[in-house]
Amino acid sequence: MKEGLVSFRGIKEGIYIYIKKGEFQDIKRELEQKLEESIDFFEGANILGIKAENLLEDEIKELLKIMKDKYRLHISEDGLPQSLEEPEFYTGIDEGMTKFINSTIRSGQIIEYDGNIIIIGDVNPGALIKARGNIIILGTLRGVAHAGIDGNDQAIVAAYNLQPTQLRIANIIGRRPDGEIIASGLPEVAKVYDGEVFIEPYLPRK
Amino acid sequence: MGKAIVITSGKGGVGKTTTTANIGTGLAILGNKVVVVDTDIGLRNLDVVMGLENRIVYDIVDVVEKTCRLRQGLIRDKRYDGLFLLPAAQTKDKTSINPEQMLELINDLKAEFDYIIIDSPAGIEQGFQNSIAGADEAYIVTTPEISAVRDADRVIGLLEAKGLNNPKLIINRIRHDMVKRGDMMNVEDIIDILAVDLIGVIPDDEAIVISTNKGEPVVVEDEPLSAKAFKNICKRIVGEEVELLNLEDNEGKFSKLIKLLFSK
C-alpha cells in the first residue's frame, strides 16, 4: 500500500486535505487512519474541503460524508478558496517576496525562504541556500544553492562568482565537474534548458 | 577587568594547544598577568606542552564543583611569575561542566588576570560550547589544508551565532616553499574564503616539535622563526602594530649568500 497519499494543509482560511494520485481504497484507508490518530486535533477545525489530483466528484463526496458523519468534523460551506486552483509552485519569480541576507553564509548554515533570496556576501562550502524562487548572490557561491524548491524550473541562480559544489533548480541537480575547473571570472547565471542546468555569463559582452 | 580569548578551530591537530601555550607565555613575557585554561576535559594536553603536568593536584572540574578554591586549582608556571595554568580533568568528560559554570569561572578569572587564554577542544559539541561560553574574543587556528579551512568556516559561523563576532585568524604550519610552488594554499586564498581578520601566520617549524616535547613553549626562545611569529601575535594582542613576518627569511643567510654570489 502506498503511504503519504493524504496530507492536511493549513492555510489562513482553515485546513484542507490534499490527496495525491492513488487508488481510492488506499486513500480512504489512509484518511480514516489519519483522522483516527489525531481526531482531537481536528475537533472544531474549519475543514475547507478536499483537493485531489485524480478523484471523481462522487469519491470526494463520499470522503466528505465520512468525515462529516463518522468523525463529526465541520466542513465549511464556502468550499476551497480560489487561490488553491493556481499552480502549486512559487510564482513570484518575476516579482515576489524576497529575503535579503547581509552576511556571509558559512559551512553548516542553512537559509530557507518561501520566495527569492538575495545574499550580500559569500556562500561558503557546506552551506545550503533553499528558495522557492530565485537566488542571487552578490559574492562567491561555493556551497549548494537550490532555487525553485517546490518545482518551478524557471527559477535562476546568479552570482558574481559561481563556483558551487552543487546547483539545484526545481528537481534538477547539477554538480561541479571533477578535477580542475576554469573559472570564467565573470558574473554568471544558472538556468534550466531542456531539463539540464546550464551556466552562462549574464553580461556576455563584458 | 581582563580579556578572555578562546583559541579554537573545529578540526583537531591544527595547533590549538601549541598556540594557546605560546600566546599565553608570550603575553606573560610582555609583563601581563595571564592564565591559560585547558577545557579539553578527558584529553588534556596543555599541561604537557607547558611542562607542568607533574604539578597538577586539582583541575577545572574541581574548581567549578567547588571541591577546591580557584587559587588552589591554578598552577604557577615554572618560568614566569605572572603565568598560570588551570588544567583540564583527565578522568572526567566534557559533560562534567556546563556553559553557565564556565561563564562564572571565566568571570572570576577576569577579575584577577589581564588575559585569560582558553584552549578549546576539537569538535563543535559540548566541550566547544563550554570553551566559548565566557570568551570575549575568539581566535581561529587553521592550517593551509582544505579540511581545516572548511572546519574553521563552520566554527566561525557557530561563533557568530553565539554573538562572538569578528573572530581573528591564525594560520599555522604554512610552508613558504610549497606555497611558492603552488602546492599549498596561500594566506590570501584562506582569507578569501573565511573573510576574517588575520592576526598571525606561523611557519611550519621543527623548533615547535622540539619545544613541545621539552615542555617549553617555543616563544621563550629567540632564534626560531615560529617564536618570532608568536611574539608578533602577542604584540598585536596588546595593541602594537607589527608587520607580518617575512617567511622568506626561512631559507637562511647562508643560502642567500650563495645566491648573491651566483647572481653576479
Side-chain angles (χ1 to χ4, degrees):
Chain A
M1 185 186 135
K2 261 171 84 183
E3 282 285 331
L5 295 167
V6 179
S7 55
F8 293 86
R9 296 188 176 179
I11 53 176
K12 66 174 186 290
E13 291 88 352
I15 296 173
Y16 75 96
I17 295 156
Y18 186 82
I19 299 176
K20 286 192 192 154
K21 221 175 266 180
E23 288 298 317
F24 181 64
Q25 288 309 321
D26 290 345
I27 290 166
K28 203 163 106 179
R29 202 174 322 140
E30 193 179 325
L31 178 68
E32 290 213 48
Q33 188 195 334
K34 286 203 166 152
L35 287 170
E36 209 75 63
E37 279 167 7
S38 44
I39 187 68
D40 293 344
F41 180 77
F42 294 110
E43 219 174 54
N46 188 24
I47 307 279
L48 299 167
I50 292 176
K51 183 167 166 58
E53 282 178 9
N54 72 334
L55 290 186
L56 302 170
E57 281 286 304
D58 288 349
E59 291 172 331
I60 291 182
K61 274 192 187 135
E62 190 184 331
L63 292 178
L64 286 172
K65 199 165 140 56
I66 293 174
M67 287 163 64
K68 222 181 204 160
D69 298 345
K70 193 168 167 193
Y71 295 96
R72 312 216 161 278
L73 290 171
H74 175 256
I75 312 285
S76 163
E77 303 286 310
D78 309 338
L80 290 169
Q82 211 58 44
S83 59
L84 283 179
E85 305 303 317
E86 286 169 19
E88 273 294 301
F89 51 73
Y90 181 70
T91 50
I93 299 271
D94 293 326
E95 187 177 337
M97 296 282 284
T98 301
K99 188 185 187 77
F100 288 84
I101 308 273
N102 237 316
S103 70
T104 291
I105 312 303
R106 299 182 184 277
S107 178
Q109 295 176 329
I110 299 177
I111 303 291
E112 219 174 333
Y113 186 62
D114 281 348
N116 306 304
I117 297 180
I118 294 180
I119 291 170
I120 303 164
D122 293 343
V123 176
N124 282 357
L128 175 58
I129 313 295
K130 288 165 85 172
R132 292 179 71 203
N134 304 311
I135 297 171
I136 313 291
I137 294 150
L138 302 176
T140 304
L141 170 62
R142 298 186 188 90
V144 176
H146 190 175
I149 40 173
D150 56 3
N152 194 336
D153 62 8
Q154 297 302 302
I156 60 156
V157 177
Y160 273 161
N161 193 352
L162 202 59
Q163 302 174 13
T165 329
Q166 215 181 72
L167 260 184
R168 305 179 196 156
I169 293 176
N171 53 2
I172 300 151
I173 299 179
R175 113 184 132 75
R176 185 191 173 94
D178 294 322
E180 283 292 305
I181 56 162
I182 302 146
S184 72
L186 292 174
E188 288 175 312
V189 59
K191 286 178 187 163
V192 171
Y193 294 109
D194 298 331
E196 271 188 81
V197 180
F198 279 86
I199 293 176
E200 60 190 23
Y202 58 74
L203 298 169
R205 265 164 232 96
K206 275 213 170 157
Chain B
M1 203 63 175
K3 186 194 263 183
I5 300 169
V6 61
I7 312 289
T8 187
S9 70
K11 191 174 180 298
V14 297
K16 287 179 292 298
T17 302
T18 309
T19 304
T20 307
N22 279 292
I23 289 181
T25 309
L27 286 169
I29 294 173
L30 294 176
N32 296 287
K33 212 177 164 206
V34 184
V35 59
V36 289
V37 181
D38 191 350
T39 62
D40 200 349
I41 299 170
L43 286 169
R44 72 174 176 213
N45 281 145
L46 187 56
D47 52 320
V48 183
V49 175
M50 307 266 298
L52 300 171
E53 189 182 14
N54 55 5
R55 297 163 203 227
I56 298 175
V57 179
Y58 296 110
D59 55 54
I60 190 168
V61 177
D62 293 321
V63 172
V64 296
E65 285 178 352
K66 310 240 188 311
T67 315
C68 70
R69 279 175 289 115
L70 179 56
R71 274 269 145 219
Q72 293 174 303
L74 296 173
I75 299 167
R76 185 190 294 272
D77 186 68
K78 53 190 174 189
R79 293 162 292 259
Y80 299 98
D81 277 349
L83 181 60
F84 290 80
L85 164 72
L86 180 55
Q90 185 69 332
T91 50
K92 316 249 169 58
D93 65 37
K94 312 282 194 268
T95 54
S96 327
I97 54 176
N98 62 41
E100 290 74 37
Q101 291 171 318
M102 196 64 201
L103 180 64
E104 192 190 330
L105 170 68
I106 299 298
N107 280 336
D108 289 348
L109 290 170
K110 274 160 77 172
E112 270 187 61
F113 291 91
D114 300 321
Y115 291 98
I116 297 100
I117 313 294
I118 306 158
D119 184 20
S120 157
I124 52 173
E125 294 81 18
Q126 177 153 9
F128 165 77
Q129 302 294 348
N130 284 340
S131 71
I132 65 170
D136 303 308
E137 275 188 41
Y139 291 0
I140 313 286
V141 183
T142 188
T143 55
E145 285 151 35
I146 197 93
S147 49
V149 173
R150 186 70 53 89
D151 290 1
D153 187 55
R154 176 90 170 100
V155 163
I156 295 167
L158 292 170
L159 289 169
E160 282 171 354
K162 292 273 174 193
L164 270 171
N165 291 318
N166 305 322
K168 295 198 170 68
L169 186 69
I170 295 171
I171 300 174
N172 193 15
R173 225 173 282 152
I174 204 150
R175 286 181 54 180
H176 182 72
D177 53 333
M178 286 184 73
V179 172
K180 215 155 73 176
R181 289 201 304 267
D183 292 337
M184 186 180 260
M185 293 172 90
N186 65 30
V187 174
E188 287 74 31
D189 294 337
I190 298 168
I191 301 284
D192 187 42
I193 292 179
L194 296 179
V196 290
D197 292 337
L198 186 68
I199 192 161
V201 179
I202 317 293
D204 195 23
D205 192 348
E206 283 178 12
I208 299 229
V209 182
I210 298 165
S211 74
T212 301
N213 291 338
K214 273 199 299 192
E216 195 161 85
V218 75
V219 73
V220 303
E221 294 176 49
D222 295 322
E223 271 307 303
L225 205 57
S226 55
K228 288 176 191 155
F230 277 121
K231 284 197 180 90
N232 283 352
I233 292 180
C234 294
K235 284 181 193 159
R236 289 183 198 113
I237 293 173
V238 299
E240 275 181 52
E241 286 208 8
V242 192
E243 270 189 45
L244 273 185
L245 210 58
N246 183 5
L247 297 180
E248 257 174 295
D249 285 347
N250 214 357
E251 59 189 339
K253 287 175 186 121
F254 185 68
S255 61
K256 257 192 210 159
L257 187 69
I258 289 182
K259 268 190 193 163
L260 211 65
L261 290 175
F262 278 95
S263 63
K264 280 188 180 167

